[in-house]
Amino acid sequence: MKKSTLRLSLAACALTVSTAPGGFQTHQPAEVILGNLYAPTQALYYPMGITVDPVTKKIFVCDTGSNRILRFPAAAGVTPKLHPEAVLGQENMIDRSSGTTKHHLDSPQAVVFDAAGHLWVSDSANNRVLRYDNPSVGETPAPSGVLGRPDFVTSQHGLGAAGMWKPSSMACSGTTLYVVDESNKRVLRFDNAAAKANGAPAQAVFGQADFNSGVSGLTAKNFSVPGGVALTTEGSSTTLWVSDVDNARVLGFPNPNAGGPAGATATRVLGQADFTTKANNGFVGAGNLFWPGQLTASGNSLYLADTGFFRVLRWDSPGSGQNNQLAAMVYGQSDFSSGKAGTATGAGNVRGVFADGDGALWVTDIQKNRVVRYDQARQKPMDSDFDFVLAPEGNDIQDPPSFGSGLAIDPVSGKVYVSDAPKNRVLRFSSYAVLVAGYRPEAVFGQTDFAGKDPGVQSTRMNAPTALACDSNDQLWVADTGNNRVLRFTNASTRSNGPVSGTLLGQLAYGLGGSSAGAGRMNAPRGLAVDGQGTLWVADSGNNRLLRFNLAPFKANGAVPDGYQGQATATASAPGLTSRNLNLPTGLTLNAGRLWVLDGGNNRVLRFDSIAGRSNFAAADGVLGQPGFITKTAGSGAAEMSVGEGCLVVDSFGRLYVSERDNRRITWFNAAAGKTNGGMANGVLGRSGFGATDDSWDHLHVGKVTGIAMDPRGSLWAADSLRNRVLRFSPVTPAVTACEMGANNHFNMTFKSTTGAFYQAERSADLKTWTPSGAKVQAIGEIAVWSDPALASGKQFYRLREVAP
């Protein structure tokens, strides 16, 4: 971190004052977020529909799984990771719940603009279509009209000319709106739709003999389940195309704007030889379809999401062609004979398609939760990659881990280890810089390669690893929680993928994974701490105890521990609430001979002084988070905790950091070893203050932090399991706010710093030899004042740094 320097000249003295990074400030933002940059509430979940405002070029995506429409800014060129700028269907970016009000949606399926700039949204589960008159303005636009229901607060499905039942796809021709009324097995036409009153009836129906019929069929006049709708133009002719999902075909109706009100007959069919055939043998080809879905058109070109074959097909001039015309182009597959889910550049489970006015084809992919764009789609050769991807999940790391289980930093090499519990592995990154830059990890433990994710009990496999610990001898310790064991890896910083562990604790042999409270056995270990003498402490969480292994690197597999805490005997496992008992311990850290224990089930932290010489079942010497040893009340005040699960770390100044999963915060205690029982925390990260419940997916808040680590630079790293990310908080540099010459030639300096922290000023005449100047001072209310009572003559240099109490 850059040092802030202040230069001034007072009287005969020239002074240079520099400040070094200090502690933290309450509610300071994280400066780095790895993993999910945006909330899942700002990412895509099951995107079904897509359209682009023809005027503003803003992108509207049906985020169906989150019951909303996300609006993104215009994407010029290959713009990476667009952030949504507005939401329709929710009152903010956080909420994802469904509802039947003017401001809520329930499983929206499609979006389309008419020629007058109105946005139409098929609110499928609410059995209605909503109209937005100003969708590109504001952060939470509200609808102006509704079809399918008489108002904004009812959602019953209906038949007739004014009813709907799960409307899905839509298309517009000028100001005429076509709606696929899926469960009523029909398509409705609304002329001059934007001018209609709420709940107004349709003017025409396709697929049924009249407005009161809802039967399925295999004819030129009926559908099984209509899926998509689009209109092509060839000269003066217009054709309405409707995909018929279960019948594996697409029907074409000529001059749809002129007919009505019911009983129209299709004159074209794609995907079948005639109007009464339903051949679907799973054979992939240019003329066969499998679960045809949404449609879109651009001029005389028709595009179809052929969902069962994981592809998009294009026909040119199908309205004037022959029945069962072969497709001219395929997107998402290398050729017409391929029909499987693709790689990173191939199609997943395609759902929505949209051809914009600039020649681009947009495709939504519910399997990969993304939108891709093919520029100049008509000119693309076969097997072309897409040109743009909209996937605002914000994962900065290739093959991104499920961040949040555990974190450790090698004190010698500086390499960073992250446990990825859902994928049953631990990842190693070569440095902080590589991790921050989002580059690929250099090695994986617990799997043979980065593609593996299955659990296992072998010496090279893991099952939901959590806590990690590194010692100064290049050894990595892993709490293999799901296998009820602890693994040791030697030469961890240089091992290649899938290394064999060197020591097994908690199980008698590899290949075993059951839990037990017996001697040498474990039950869901979740905390680790190792000292310079090779002593390993394990938080055996499920057994409500701590296990001590002396000279742990030399232990035989399945060795019996040398000591224990939290239980009266070596095989007891019941939780307790005394100064000697534990209840779901999950975090451990060692500092200056003290062992700190996060006793999660009791919402407290216990301190054991001089732990190396303590007998089994010793009483703790102090407690934080509770006023004494016999209470476990949860709370969010400065002297309270609500833990559940978490982690601990102590920095070189004796400051204790505690991650509280259930409070969604990290608190710190200055000079923690000197705190009396129930002493108050001095600051909090992840919340705006003590007792606060504010929450947001941003740099200022945390979700559920279950792993924290301190790097040699004094930055705090936090693994946020709820939001699948890692955050880095860097210490705040004390800011010098005033310097002055006081009485008796004293030099006085005022600076803003970390509340409760201690600082020492040092003086030098040559920037080589530094001596303490004055007494160390403690910051009160983030402001500290220091004075040099014996200012020397000539040029003097001062530096300010945080020190232990």
Side-chain angles (χ1 to χ4, degrees), residues 70-87:
L70 290 179
R71 189 184 77 211
F72 295 84
V78 188
T79 306
K81 293 178 183 174
L82 288 178
H83 193 294
E85 64 178 20
V87 60

Side-chain angles (χ1 to χ4, degrees), residues 125-171:
N126 278 329
N127 303 301
R128 64 186 184 180
V129 170
L130 300 177
R131 186 189 81 244
Y132 292 80
D133 291 343
N134 296 293
S136 295
V137 179
E139 295 183 356
T140 56
S144 306
V146 57
L147 297 175
R149 301 305 309 151
D151 51 48
F152 292 104
V153 295
T154 58
S155 62
Q156 295 88 349
H157 65 79
L159 200 55
M164 294 183 188
W165 190 3
K166 292 188 178 178
S168 55
S169 298
M170 298 176 295

Side-chain angles (χ1 to χ4, degrees), residues 40-43 62-63 66-70 87-88 90 93 108:
T41 50
Q42 295 183 11
C62 275
D63 191 19
S66 296
N67 303 297
R68 64 186 180 177
I69 310 298
L70 290 179
V87 60
L88 290 71
Q90 300 289 349
M93 284 284 189

Side-chain angles (χ1 to χ4, degrees), residues 51-393:
T51 194
V52 177
D53 186 330
V55 177
T56 67
K57 306 300 182 182
K58 292 186 177 183
I59 307 163
F60 293 78
V61 180
C62 275
D63 191 19
T64 306
S66 296
N67 303 297
R68 64 186 180 177
I69 310 298
L70 290 179
R71 189 184 77 211
F72 295 84
V78 188
T79 306
K81 293 178 183 174
L82 288 178
H83 193 294
E85 64 178 20
V87 60
L88 290 71
Q90 300 289 349
E91 295 181 3
N92 53 58
M93 284 284 189
I94 302 298
D95 294 335
R96 302 170 67 181
S97 59
S98 61
T100 308
T101 70
K102 189 174 183 178
H103 299 282
H104 287 85
L105 299 172
D106 192 349
S107 302
Q109 300 279 317
V111 281
V112 64
F113 276 94
D114 64 23
H118 305 288
L119 177 71
W120 296 90
V121 176
S122 62
D123 189 12
S124 184
N126 278 329
N127 303 301
R128 64 186 184 180
V129 170
L130 300 177
R131 186 189 81 244
Y132 292 80
D133 291 343
N134 296 293
S136 295
V137 179
E139 295 183 356
T140 56
S144 306
V146 57
L147 297 175
R149 301 305 309 151
D151 51 48
F152 292 104
V153 295
T154 58
S155 62
Q156 295 88 349
H157 65 79
L159 200 55
M164 294 183 188
W165 190 3
K166 292 188 178 178
S168 55
S169 298
M170 298 176 295
C172 284
S173 175
T175 60
T176 300
L177 174 69
Y178 293 84
V179 178
V180 172
D181 190 13
E182 181 177 301
S183 292
N184 282 329
K185 307 179 188 306
R186 64 186 186 177
V187 173
L188 298 176
R189 190 190 80 209
F190 295 87
D191 298 338
N192 199 14
K196 291 189 178 299
N198 291 345
Q203 279 62 62
V205 60
F206 299 80
Q208 299 296 334
D210 54 54
F211 285 111
N212 295 313
S213 299
V215 299
S216 61
L218 182 60
T219 71
K221 296 186 176 187
N222 296 101
F223 313 119
S224 61
V225 178
V229 61
L231 296 108
T232 59
T233 56
E234 300 177 37
S236 59
S237 299
T238 299
T239 303
L240 175 73
W241 298 93
V242 181
S243 62
D244 191 5
V245 181
D246 288 350
N247 286 332
R249 65 182 185 175
V250 177
L251 297 181
F253 297 85
N255 302 315
N257 295 335
T265 301
T267 59
R268 293 286 184 272
V269 60
L270 303 174
Q272 300 292 341
D274 52 52
F275 294 104
T276 58
T277 301
K278 182 184 176 181
N280 186 354
N281 55 13
F283 176 75
V284 186
N288 291 343
L289 307 179
F290 190 19
W291 291 345
Q294 287 195 24
L295 292 162
T296 188
S298 177
N300 68 342
S301 292
L302 178 69
Y303 298 84
L304 167 73
D306 192 17
T307 61
F309 286 142
F310 306 98
R311 64 184 184 176
V312 175
L313 297 177
R314 189 190 82 228
W315 290 267
D316 297 330
S317 302
S320 58
Q322 301 297 316
N323 285 343
N324 202 22
Q325 177 179 330
L326 299 181
M329 177 64 181
V330 60
Y331 305 85
Q333 299 292 340
S334 58
D335 52 48
F336 287 113
S337 61
S338 300
K340 296 182 179 180
T343 61
T345 58
N349 198 333
V350 298
R351 275 298 188 269
V353 288
F354 172 67
D356 67 23
D358 297 318
L361 174 66
W362 300 76
V363 181
T364 69
D365 184 342
I366 61 172
Q367 178 181 344
K368 299 177 180 178
N369 290 311
R370 67 182 184 180
V371 175
V372 300
R373 186 186 72 205
Y374 296 87
D375 294 336
Q376 300 304 314
R378 284 286 303 267
Q379 283 74 50
K380 290 286 186 187
M382 197 75 75
D383 197 21
S384 293
D385 290 342
F386 50 76
D387 300 285
F388 167 84
V389 60
L390 178 64
E393 74 282 356

